[in-house]
Amino acid sequence: MIRLLLIGPPGSGKGTQASRLAETFGVPAVSTGDIFRANVKNGTALGLEAKAYMDAGEYVPDSLTNAIVHDRLQEVDASGGFLLDGYPRTEEQVAELDRLLASDGTRLDAVVQLVADPDEVVRRLLKRAVDQGRADDTEDVIRHRMALYEAQTAPLLNIYGARGLVTKVDALGDVDEVTSRILTALADRGIREPGGKNAQSVGSAESVA
Ligand code: AMP
């Protein structure tokens, strides 16, 4: 039973870490970006509407994004918890998530902030453009997505910070290393993986800035 958010700039490795953590905690990873991409691929009405925004590196409108998250979190597999990757990204989305959680009588356990150097994330995204051929991974669009993150999404960390939910993790370095930093940071907050090596530990010697 865990409800987590992963917030970080494009290219900070959110998607990769989200799937690993979701598996570790036995909850679904819900990525709005993946849901939009699947809809674009399948040519649905939602995909057609979202595509233009995505290709330009703009945010898909809140009304559309909130509706898909509302539906996704109603699904039975998310009833025991979830890990949200790439949502919320705006204040209006924070408000919608607050409403959804309140109506279920649940709340977030933690918000993991992935911290990464902007030049490094641009380098990573340009590499991903070659590896995966994503339409929104050109340099201009990447820079625009980074600017949008700074303007609209980074401020959400203040909202969650004021609620005492944010834990910062250095996102640079080896993927396994970053996963273990996140698990350690969560264990330090009393959130432990079921049956994992941190399950019984009280605190941890490896503290994460
Ligand atoms: P991501 O894979 O998380 O980088 O998302 C890819 C693209 O999907 C973003 O650049 C946006 O166009 C769109 N998107 C994903 N999540 C959201 C969101 N929470 N709000 C608005 N647009 C989103």
Side-chain angles (χ1 to χ4, degrees):
M1 286 284 210
I2 186 173
R3 291 176 181 80
L4 282 184
L5 306 185
L6 267 186
I7 298 185
S12 57
K14 286 190 305 295
T16 308
Q17 296 300 333
S19 356
R20 291 172 150 228
L21 294 171
E23 194 174 332
T24 302
F25 287 104
V27 293
V30 174
S31 156
T32 41
D34 282 352
I35 295 173
F36 287 136
R37 275 185 291 279
N39 277 275
V40 169
K41 195 166 159 216
N42 295 328
T44 67
L46 170 66
L48 285 177
E49 197 166 348
K51 187 177 186 328
Y53 296 102
M54 296 172 77
D55 287 353
E58 299 290 350
Y59 284 171
V60 175
D62 287 334
S63 53
L64 209 57
T65 308
N66 284 340
I68 62 158
V69 172
H70 175 274
D71 290 352
R72 180 63 186 87
L73 295 188
Q74 302 290 315
E75 286 176 37
V76 67
D77 65 332
S79 62
F82 52 75
L83 199 155
L84 277 170
D85 154 24
Y87 181 94
R89 266 169 148 109
T90 65
E91 276 195 40
E92 179 45 41
Q93 294 178 17
V94 170
E96 172 67 8
L97 181 60
D98 284 345
R99 284 191 287 271
L100 289 176
L101 293 168
S103 72
D104 283 349
T106 56
R107 53 196 193 82
L108 294 174
D109 295 292
V111 175
V112 176
Q113 176 186 359
L114 291 178
V115 180
D117 171 63
D119 289 339
E120 175 59 27
V121 296
V122 171
R123 254 197 308 279
R124 282 193 193 182
L125 289 171
L126 288 171
K127 180 174 182 304
R128 185 173 75 184
V130 176
D131 296 345
Q132 297 179 10
R134 266 176 58 163
D136 58 352
D137 275 344
T138 64
E139 184 151 7
D140 280 355
V141 175
I142 289 169
R143 299 247 175 234
H144 185 64
R145 287 163 60 212
M146 301 278 297
L148 207 53
Y149 172 82
E150 285 307 325
Q152 299 223 27
T153 304
L156 308 185
L157 291 160
N158 297 330
I159 300 177
Y160 288 120
R163 301 182 191 176
L165 287 172
V166 177
T167 187
K168 276 192 191 189
V169 174
D170 177 2
L172 290 187
D174 180 70
V175 173
D176 286 339
E177 177 69 34
V178 176
T179 307
S180 88
R181 280 180 208 145
I182 297 173
L183 291 175
T184 302
L186 291 173
D188 285 348
R189 301 175 71 86
I191 300 168
R192 298 194 169 79
E193 49 198 302
K197 66 178 167 39
N198 289 329
Q200 305 302 325
S201 71
V202 179
S204 168
E206 293 169 65
S207 117
V208 173

